Each structure stands twice: as C-alpha cells, then as structure tokens.
Amino acid sequence: MKLTLSVIKADIGGYVGHSASHPDILAKAGESLTKAKKTGLLIDYHVTQCGDDLQLIMTHQQGEENERIHKLAWDTFVEGTKLAKALKLYGAGQDLLSDAFSGNVKGMGPGVAEMEIEERPSEPVIVFMADKTSAGAWNMPLYKMFADPFNTIGLIIAPNMHTGFAFEVHDVKEHTKITLNTPEEIYDLLIFIGAPSRYAVKAVYSRETKEIAAVSSTQRLSLIAGRYVGKDDPVCIVRAQSQFPAVGEVLEPFSLPHLVEGWMRGSHHGPLMPVAIDDATPTRFDGPPRVTAAGFQLADGKLIGPRDMFADKSFDRTRQWANEVAEYMRRHGPFEPHRLPLEEMEYTTMPQVAKKLAKRFTKAD
Ligand code: F6R
Ligand code: MG
Ligand code: MG
C-alpha cells in the first residue's frame, strides 16, 4: 500500500515567550485534523509540540507536496494563529510568512518533511523534532545513522545494509542539490555536510532497494524572509529496522549533544539536548536547543503510538552532559564560537550597527 507520511510544523505562538506551545492550540489543531480524518483526506494524524512549534504528523494517500494536504496544514496554522492572538501568545503567527496560500507551504514559513513509501509488513518510523536550531542540525546524526559503522554496526554485519546509502544534500543558499554515495564518497560528503549552515541532508536512500530511508525539512526562515524571524526548528522522519538501521542505531547519534546553531535569538551555538516530549520546553537562555523523538509503528497508515523515545533513562547522562556543555558555552557570553559567526549575524541587528558606525571606521595601517 502506497502511503505518505507528512510532518508539517510551524511556530504560531509561544507560551510563555518562545518556550512552549499552549495546550489550547494543540487541541484546536486536533479538531481541524479530526475533521480531515472524517472526510477521508487523512488516514490518521498525531498533533504534538516541540518547544514553541506546533507539529502536525499526518498519514494519507495523496502523495508528497499535495495541495489539499498542504492547505489543510496551512488552514490549521491560520486558525491556530487566530486563537494564539486571542490568547495573546507570544509571536502569534510568527512562522506564517505569507498572507495567502498558493498551493504549497514550501517557502511560506512552515517546515515540511514528507515521504511516500510502500508500507512494509512492519514499519517502525521515528519522527524527530527540534526547537531552537536550524535545518542542517540533522546532518551529523544522519551521517552517523547511515554511514558510520561506529554508530551503526548494521552497515557491516547486516547484508541488506552493506551496500550503503545515498545522501541527497541541498545547498540551501544556492538552491542546488547533489546525491553522494556512501561509503565511497564519504570524504566528499563530509566536506559539504560538515558545514550545516549551508548544506543540509534532505534525504537518504537505500542504494540496494532505492527506497527512501529518511527525509528532513530544510527550509531556512531567514533566507525566505531576508531577516531573522525565529529559527527553522527542523523535523526529520527516519524509517527503522530490517533494511534500515535498527531503532537503537537511529537514536544512538543523539547520545552526543552535538553543537548546533539557533540558541537565544537564533544567534548562538549550543548543545542539542535529547529530551522527553514534555521536557521540550527550552527555558534557560531560551534553550539549550532540544530534540524529541516520537516513535510510531504504521499499520495500514494508522499511527500506532507515539512512544516517547528519548524519555528513556539511558539518555540521562547525555542530558547531564548537554547541561555541562551549555554552561561552558554560556560562559563565552557574546563571544564566538558561542555567538554565531559574522556571516550568520547578517540576519540580526549586526548590519544596522555596522551601518551606523561605518563613518567612524578610518583607515588602519
Ligand atoms: C530562538 C528564539 C528566542 C527568541 C528570543 C527573542 O530561536 O526563538 O531565543 O529569539 O526570545 O525573541 P523576540 O525577538 O521575539 O522577543
Ligand atoms: Mg517562537
Ligand atoms: Mg521554535
């Protein structure tokens, strides 16, 4: 059975500040998707949040980039924004960068990750959601899952994974893409994806079966808006088990709270802390950045779950480590590398300050 799993998300208002979503907003989104399920447009859905981002996880048979599905998500965000405004939530409608829907939410602010699949006899999928970070934050975890045998032993000992995976990489500034094969091209791949502010892994495919294994949202809000409007807070869908990495191999990369951009005003690097869904409430210095993992078994398109994968005690040490790294990074205050490099500050007040002081810069030897 051909099935599409769509995850479409947006920050339509924060409670309190940018730290979380209000339960009424989730309930309102649930009502909208219930209607769509009744009409048969959706097979199933799950509404959740990660920090101040509302997450719509939907299954259907309309394919990727379908206008009806995207309109459903857009209308849900627009309705949610009305409620967010009534509750005076912070930054109501923040991610809706356009006034009118024009067929596809891509480029309009919301983040989108979608994959059309042939549902396997048993189909475990993990939906990763992040807050206070940007597209590209999945580069290191996806590399580890699908190309690093120190993370995924299946690459060596599982015959159906031994041929490796192909990585579709997007240059988010030039809007170009390239597909690189692992393991042969890992050095070429790493040159690009090691620079996650510009190159983001959009999708991963099995080289043996050509099936899609993972897909992520790669939109860069600041590039769409031309200014800082909040962080991308990306999502990523990963299929697990059998010809794909085991669930444990999919989660293992997050045992390192790797440094990502997006903390406080989208302008700082900080550790990505894996947390239970209820703990995705970035509060200290609006952070540190969070990642959650909702696990589902698909059953003819029904979303059986979620299981809150990072609620597991085995991630406690990572969280402690993340808090130590957070403390270390914070001590740098306004200095790089806690603060993002100059190029990224282009989307903040930096250009205004530079313009104001331009005349006071005189020639130095
Ligand atoms: C980071 C984030 C927050 C805000 C900060 C200022 O991605 O969302 O750190 O940037 O709270 O928010 P404004 O400018 O909306 O008052
Ligand atoms: Mg916000
Ligand atoms: Mg957010």
Side-chain angles (χ1 to χ4, degrees), residues 9 55 128-131 133-138 217 232-236:
K9 49 81 42 184
Q55 309 278 349
F128 291 102
M129 296 158 274
D131 192 37
T133 186
S134 49
W138 310 120
S217 62
D232 315 326
D233 301 334
V235 288
C236 181

Side-chain angles (χ1 to χ4, degrees), residues 208-224:
E208 194 167 298
T209 65
K210 313 290 178 226
E211 284 171 291
I212 189 154
V215 68
S216 76
S217 62
T218 49
Q219 106 290 1
R220 298 273 303 189
L221 279 171
S222 58
L223 296 179
I224 298 171

Side-chain angles (χ1 to χ4, degrees), residues 231-247:
K231 266 306 185 200
D232 315 326
D233 301 334
V235 288
C236 181
I237 308 171
V238 181
R239 301 170 80 187
Q241 302 294 150
S242 190
Q243 66 271 51
F244 302 121
V247 165

Side-chain angles (χ1 to χ4, degrees), residues 9-285:
K9 49 81 42 184
D11 175 354
I12 55 165
Y15 167 65
V16 170
H18 291 281
S19 66
S21 305
H22 193 279
D24 291 358
I25 297 286
L26 271 77
K28 180 101 191 145
E31 282 168 26
S32 157
L33 299 196
T34 305
K35 277 188 211 146
K37 191 173 163 180
K38 281 198 184 123
T39 67
L41 178 59
L42 294 184
I43 300 174
D44 205 359
Y45 72 85
H46 178 72
V47 173
T48 186
Q49 101 291 334
C50 182
D52 55 5
D53 292 276
L54 173 63
Q55 309 278 349
L56 311 179
I57 302 172
M58 303 171 283
T59 52
H60 55 90
Q61 291 195 292
Q62 312 295 315
E64 295 167 18
E65 296 196 24
N66 177 269
E67 181 165 349
R68 289 174 70 203
I69 297 296
H70 281 226
K71 185 161 188 332
L72 169 66
W74 181 260
D75 290 346
T76 303
F77 294 142
V78 169
E79 284 304 307
T81 296
K82 285 183 196 157
L83 178 58
K85 283 186 174 156
L87 296 173
K88 298 210 176 192
L89 296 182
Y90 197 72
Q94 172 182 298
D95 283 359
L96 307 185
L97 301 181
S98 176
D99 291 333
F101 179 75
S102 57
N104 190 314
V105 293
K106 274 167 95 180
M108 297 179 75
V112 186
E114 294 181 292
M115 55 162 72
E116 186 174 47
I117 59 171
E118 190 68 52
E119 190 184 291
R120 293 172 292 165
S122 181
E123 184 67 65
V125 295
I126 312 280
V127 177
F128 291 102
M129 296 158 274
D131 192 37
K132 308 296 178 255
T133 186
S134 49
W138 310 120
N139 286 8
M140 191 195 282
L142 287 172
Y143 176 80
K144 287 185 176 175
M145 276 174 226
F146 292 101
D148 179 5
F150 278 76
N151 180 89
T152 299
I153 184 61
L155 294 166
I156 297 177
I157 60 180
N160 52 4
M161 283 172 65
H162 204 80
T163 353
F165 290 87
F167 285 67
E168 182 185 317
V169 177
H170 285 206
D171 177 336
V172 295
K173 290 200 173 134
E174 294 297 325
H175 300 286
T176 55
K177 60 182 179 180
I178 182 171
T179 299
L180 293 161
N181 287 324
T182 63
E184 304 93 291
E185 296 183 301
I186 57 170
Y187 298 161
D188 293 338
L189 175 69
L190 285 167
I191 278 278
F192 297 108
I193 68 169
S197 60
R198 170 130 183 210
Y199 297 96
V201 177
K202 176 71 198 173
V204 181
Y205 296 89
S206 159
R207 290 176 66 191
E208 194 167 298
T209 65
K210 313 290 178 226
E211 284 171 291
I212 189 154
V215 68
S216 76
S217 62
T218 49
Q219 106 290 1
R220 298 273 303 189
L221 279 171
S222 58
L223 296 179
I224 298 171
R227 65 191 154 86
Y228 172 68
V229 282
K231 266 306 185 200
D232 315 326
D233 301 334
V235 288
C236 181
I237 308 171
V238 181
R239 301 170 80 187
Q241 302 294 150
S242 190
Q243 66 271 51
F244 302 121
V247 165
E249 291 167 332
V250 170
L251 299 175
E252 178 66 5
F254 296 93
S255 63
L256 171 74
H258 71 292
L259 291 174
V260 295
E261 62 169 64
W263 194 359
M264 184 48 89
R265 298 177 186 275
S267 305
H268 294 79
H269 284 119
L272 187 64
M273 181 157 72
V275 291
I277 290 165
D278 284 345
D279 293 332
T281 50
T283 309
R284 181 183 175 189
F285 199 56

